Short mmCIF file of all heavy atoms in Angstrom, two decimals:
data_model
loop_
_atom_site.label_atom_id
_atom_site.label_comp_id
_atom_site.label_asym_id
_atom_site.label_seq_id
_atom_site.Cartn_x
_atom_site.Cartn_y
_atom_site.Cartn_z
N ASN S 1 18.86 -10.64 24.30
CA ASN S 1 18.98 -9.82 25.52
C ASN S 1 17.93 -8.61 25.51
O ASN S 1 18.23 -7.45 25.90
CB ASN S 1 20.38 -9.32 25.72
CG ASN S 1 20.51 -8.55 27.02
OD1 ASN S 1 21.23 -7.51 26.91
ND2 ASN S 1 19.94 -8.88 28.12
N VAL S 2 16.77 -8.82 24.88
CA VAL S 2 15.80 -7.67 24.76
C VAL S 2 14.92 -7.74 25.95
O VAL S 2 14.27 -8.55 26.37
CB VAL S 2 14.83 -7.86 23.48
CG1 VAL S 2 13.73 -6.91 23.49
CG2 VAL S 2 15.64 -7.77 22.21
N ASP S 3 15.10 -6.58 26.70
CA ASP S 3 14.25 -6.39 28.01
C ASP S 3 13.08 -5.37 27.80
O ASP S 3 12.18 -5.31 28.64
CB ASP S 3 15.15 -5.93 29.06
CG ASP S 3 16.07 -6.94 29.63
OD1 ASP S 3 15.88 -8.13 29.30
OD2 ASP S 3 16.93 -6.57 30.51
N TYR S 4 13.16 -4.71 26.59
CA TYR S 4 12.14 -3.69 26.40
C TYR S 4 11.70 -3.64 24.88
O TYR S 4 12.60 -3.87 24.05
CB TYR S 4 12.55 -2.28 26.80
CG TYR S 4 12.84 -2.24 28.33
CD1 TYR S 4 14.20 -2.33 28.74
CD2 TYR S 4 11.84 -2.08 29.24
CE1 TYR S 4 14.47 -2.34 30.01
CE2 TYR S 4 12.21 -1.93 30.58
CZ TYR S 4 13.51 -2.08 31.00
OH TYR S 4 13.80 -2.10 32.26
N ILE S 5 10.50 -3.24 24.63
CA ILE S 5 9.98 -3.18 23.29
C ILE S 5 9.29 -1.80 23.10
O ILE S 5 8.46 -1.51 23.95
CB ILE S 5 8.96 -4.32 22.87
CG1 ILE S 5 9.72 -5.58 22.91
CG2 ILE S 5 8.37 -3.96 21.47
CD1 ILE S 5 8.71 -6.80 22.71
N LEU S 6 9.61 -1.03 22.08
CA LEU S 6 8.89 0.26 21.80
C LEU S 6 8.01 0.01 20.62
O LEU S 6 8.41 -0.34 19.49
CB LEU S 6 9.88 1.35 21.51
CG LEU S 6 9.31 2.74 21.39
CD1 LEU S 6 8.67 3.20 22.74
CD2 LEU S 6 10.38 3.68 21.06
N TRP S 7 6.58 0.09 20.89
CA TRP S 7 5.62 -0.27 19.98
C TRP S 7 4.92 0.91 19.30
O TRP S 7 4.33 1.71 20.17
CB TRP S 7 4.53 -1.12 20.60
CG TRP S 7 3.69 -1.91 19.69
CD1 TRP S 7 2.55 -1.37 19.18
CD2 TRP S 7 3.87 -3.29 19.20
NE1 TRP S 7 1.91 -2.28 18.37
CE2 TRP S 7 2.76 -3.40 18.35
CE3 TRP S 7 4.74 -4.24 19.41
CZ2 TRP S 7 2.45 -4.67 17.73
CZ3 TRP S 7 4.49 -5.49 18.68
CH2 TRP S 7 3.40 -5.59 17.90
N PRO S 8 4.88 1.05 17.98
CA PRO S 8 4.24 2.18 17.39
C PRO S 8 2.77 1.85 17.22
O PRO S 8 2.29 1.26 16.21
CB PRO S 8 4.90 2.39 16.03
CG PRO S 8 5.42 0.98 15.77
CD PRO S 8 5.73 0.30 17.04
N ASP S 9 1.90 2.27 18.10
CA ASP S 9 0.47 1.85 18.17
C ASP S 9 -0.35 2.33 16.85
O ASP S 9 -1.27 1.70 16.44
CB ASP S 9 -0.25 2.45 19.34
CG ASP S 9 0.30 1.80 20.59
OD1 ASP S 9 1.46 2.13 21.02
OD2 ASP S 9 -0.44 1.04 21.27
N LEU S 10 0.12 3.46 16.28
CA LEU S 10 -0.65 3.98 15.11
C LEU S 10 -0.12 3.43 13.78
O LEU S 10 -0.69 3.72 12.73
CB LEU S 10 -0.56 5.51 15.08
CG LEU S 10 -1.20 6.21 16.24
CD1 LEU S 10 -1.05 7.74 16.18
CD2 LEU S 10 -2.65 5.77 16.56
N ASP S 11 0.76 2.47 13.81
CA ASP S 11 1.34 1.84 12.57
C ASP S 11 0.24 0.80 12.11
O ASP S 11 -0.04 -0.21 12.90
CB ASP S 11 2.67 1.13 12.78
CG ASP S 11 3.27 0.60 11.55
OD1 ASP S 11 2.54 0.27 10.57
OD2 ASP S 11 4.55 0.60 11.43
N PRO S 12 -0.38 0.97 10.96
CA PRO S 12 -1.51 0.12 10.64
C PRO S 12 -1.06 -1.34 10.39
O PRO S 12 -1.88 -2.24 10.47
CB PRO S 12 -2.04 0.81 9.32
CG PRO S 12 -0.90 1.52 8.78
CD PRO S 12 -0.21 2.08 9.97
N ARG S 13 0.24 -1.45 10.08
CA ARG S 13 0.65 -2.84 9.88
C ARG S 13 0.75 -3.69 11.23
O ARG S 13 0.76 -4.86 11.28
CB ARG S 13 2.09 -2.89 9.33
CG ARG S 13 2.14 -2.34 7.90
CD ARG S 13 3.58 -2.03 7.40
NE ARG S 13 4.21 -1.12 8.22
CZ ARG S 13 5.55 -0.75 8.15
NH1 ARG S 13 6.17 -1.32 7.23
NH2 ARG S 13 6.02 0.11 9.00
N LEU S 14 0.83 -2.98 12.34
CA LEU S 14 1.12 -3.58 13.73
C LEU S 14 -0.17 -3.50 14.56
O LEU S 14 -0.41 -4.45 15.40
CB LEU S 14 2.33 -2.95 14.35
CG LEU S 14 3.67 -3.02 13.72
CD1 LEU S 14 4.71 -2.45 14.54
CD2 LEU S 14 4.02 -4.47 13.39
N GLY S 15 -0.96 -2.45 14.47
CA GLY S 15 -2.04 -2.22 15.36
C GLY S 15 -1.62 -1.82 16.77
O GLY S 15 -0.58 -1.51 17.09
N PRO S 16 -2.59 -1.78 17.71
CA PRO S 16 -2.34 -1.50 19.08
C PRO S 16 -1.28 -2.39 19.70
O PRO S 16 -1.14 -3.56 19.32
CB PRO S 16 -3.74 -1.56 19.80
CG PRO S 16 -4.61 -1.44 18.64
CD PRO S 16 -4.00 -2.09 17.44
N ALA S 17 -0.55 -1.93 20.72
CA ALA S 17 0.39 -2.75 21.42
C ALA S 17 -0.26 -3.86 22.21
O ALA S 17 -1.48 -3.64 22.71
CB ALA S 17 1.25 -1.85 22.35
N PRO S 18 0.54 -4.87 22.53
CA PRO S 18 -0.07 -5.93 23.45
C PRO S 18 -0.36 -5.31 24.79
O PRO S 18 0.22 -4.29 25.23
CB PRO S 18 1.14 -6.94 23.55
CG PRO S 18 1.97 -6.73 22.27
CD PRO S 18 1.72 -5.25 22.00
N GLU S 19 -1.28 -5.91 25.51
CA GLU S 19 -1.69 -5.43 26.86
C GLU S 19 -0.76 -5.89 27.96
O GLU S 19 -0.68 -5.13 28.99
CB GLU S 19 -3.09 -5.84 27.10
CG GLU S 19 -4.18 -5.39 26.15
CD GLU S 19 -5.55 -5.85 26.51
OE1 GLU S 19 -5.62 -6.59 27.50
OE2 GLU S 19 -6.53 -5.53 25.80
N GLN S 20 0.03 -6.91 27.62
CA GLN S 20 0.85 -7.30 28.78
C GLN S 20 2.16 -6.58 28.73
O GLN S 20 2.80 -6.19 27.76
CB GLN S 20 1.28 -8.80 28.48
CG GLN S 20 0.05 -9.80 28.62
CD GLN S 20 -0.68 -9.79 27.28
OE1 GLN S 20 -0.20 -9.41 26.25
NE2 GLN S 20 -1.96 -10.28 27.36
N GLY S 21 2.70 -6.24 30.01
CA GLY S 21 3.99 -5.55 30.18
C GLY S 21 4.09 -4.10 29.85
O GLY S 21 5.18 -3.62 29.71
N VAL S 22 2.88 -3.44 29.85
CA VAL S 22 3.02 -1.99 29.59
C VAL S 22 3.56 -1.25 30.67
O VAL S 22 3.26 -1.44 31.85
CB VAL S 22 1.55 -1.48 29.30
CG1 VAL S 22 1.60 0.07 29.08
CG2 VAL S 22 0.93 -2.14 28.11
N ILE S 23 4.64 -0.50 30.35
CA ILE S 23 5.33 0.37 31.31
C ILE S 23 4.98 1.82 31.20
O ILE S 23 4.68 2.52 32.16
CB ILE S 23 6.91 0.23 31.10
CG1 ILE S 23 7.33 -1.17 31.39
CG2 ILE S 23 7.64 1.14 32.02
CD1 ILE S 23 8.74 -1.41 31.07
N SER S 24 4.91 2.30 29.98
CA SER S 24 4.66 3.73 29.74
C SER S 24 3.99 3.87 28.35
O SER S 24 4.20 3.09 27.42
CB SER S 24 5.91 4.56 29.89
OG SER S 24 5.73 5.89 29.49
N GLN S 25 3.21 4.96 28.20
CA GLN S 25 2.72 5.29 26.85
C GLN S 25 2.72 6.76 26.58
O GLN S 25 2.57 7.49 27.51
CB GLN S 25 1.19 4.69 26.69
CG GLN S 25 1.03 3.28 26.78
CD GLN S 25 -0.35 2.90 26.69
OE1 GLN S 25 -1.23 3.43 27.24
NE2 GLN S 25 -0.73 1.80 25.91
N THR S 26 2.91 7.08 25.34
CA THR S 26 2.78 8.51 24.92
C THR S 26 1.60 8.62 24.09
O THR S 26 1.19 7.78 23.26
CB THR S 26 3.97 8.90 24.08
OG1 THR S 26 4.16 8.06 23.00
CG2 THR S 26 5.28 8.93 24.96
N LYS S 27 0.84 9.78 24.21
CA LYS S 27 -0.37 10.10 23.57
C LYS S 27 -0.51 11.25 22.78
O LYS S 27 0.37 12.19 23.15
CB LYS S 27 -1.53 10.07 24.71
CG LYS S 27 -1.70 8.71 25.38
CD LYS S 27 -2.89 8.76 26.38
CE LYS S 27 -3.04 7.46 27.13
NZ LYS S 27 -3.48 6.39 26.14
N LEU S 28 -1.22 11.26 21.87
CA LEU S 28 -1.40 12.46 21.02
C LEU S 28 -2.42 13.45 21.73
O LEU S 28 -3.04 13.03 22.64
CB LEU S 28 -2.02 12.11 19.61
CG LEU S 28 -1.09 11.33 18.78
CD1 LEU S 28 -1.77 11.06 17.44
CD2 LEU S 28 0.32 11.97 18.47
N ARG S 29 -2.58 14.60 21.19
CA ARG S 29 -3.55 15.52 21.90
C ARG S 29 -5.01 15.10 21.85
O ARG S 29 -5.73 15.39 22.71
CB ARG S 29 -3.37 16.98 21.20
CG ARG S 29 -2.11 17.63 21.44
CD ARG S 29 -2.03 19.01 20.78
NE ARG S 29 -0.76 19.73 21.04
CZ ARG S 29 -0.39 20.84 20.45
NH1 ARG S 29 -1.27 21.53 19.73
NH2 ARG S 29 0.77 21.44 20.80
N ASP S 30 -5.25 14.26 20.83
CA ASP S 30 -6.66 13.77 20.78
C ASP S 30 -6.99 12.56 21.71
O ASP S 30 -7.97 11.90 21.60
CB ASP S 30 -6.99 13.50 19.30
CG ASP S 30 -6.06 12.37 18.72
OD1 ASP S 30 -5.34 11.87 19.39
OD2 ASP S 30 -6.21 12.20 17.47
N GLY S 31 -5.86 12.08 22.40
CA GLY S 31 -6.00 11.06 23.32
C GLY S 31 -5.63 9.64 22.79
O GLY S 31 -5.43 8.70 23.60
N ARG S 32 -5.26 9.63 21.60
CA ARG S 32 -4.93 8.36 20.89
C ARG S 32 -3.45 8.01 21.44
O ARG S 32 -2.57 8.89 21.50
CB ARG S 32 -4.92 8.38 19.46
CG ARG S 32 -6.36 8.40 18.84
CD ARG S 32 -6.21 8.35 17.35
NE ARG S 32 -5.53 9.61 16.86
CZ ARG S 32 -5.17 9.71 15.58
NH1 ARG S 32 -5.25 8.71 14.76
NH2 ARG S 32 -4.58 10.85 15.24
N THR S 33 -3.23 6.63 21.73
CA THR S 33 -1.87 6.28 22.12
C THR S 33 -1.04 6.28 20.90
O THR S 33 -1.33 5.68 19.86
CB THR S 33 -2.02 4.80 22.71
OG1 THR S 33 -2.93 4.84 23.79
CG2 THR S 33 -0.57 4.34 23.20
N TYR S 34 0.12 6.97 21.11
CA TYR S 34 1.10 7.16 20.00
C TYR S 34 2.19 6.01 19.99
O TYR S 34 2.38 5.26 19.04
CB TYR S 34 1.74 8.42 20.07
CG TYR S 34 2.81 8.76 19.04
CD1 TYR S 34 2.58 8.73 17.64
CD2 TYR S 34 4.16 9.09 19.44
CE1 TYR S 34 3.44 8.99 16.67
CE2 TYR S 34 5.09 9.36 18.58
CZ TYR S 34 4.85 9.36 17.17
OH TYR S 34 5.82 9.63 16.18
#
């Protein structure tokens, strides 16, 4: 029953989040997606 995924974009094991289904993103001051 998973409707949402929270993805840590800066985790080197996972890399950037998939492009599909993006609802919201938080960013660091330098503009990188957190």
Side-chain angles (χ1 to χ4, degrees):
N1 181 221
V2 171
D3 286 351
Y4 300 96
I5 297 173
L6 190 60
W7 191 278
D9 293 72
L10 298 182
D11 189 328
R13 296 169 297 176
L14 302 181
E19 297 179 358
Q20 298 80 18
V22 175
I23 298 172
S24 173
Q25 292 182 321
T26 55
K27 297 181 180 294
L28 300 177
R29 291 181 179 179
D30 60 8
R32 289 181 298 164
T33 301
Y34 177 59

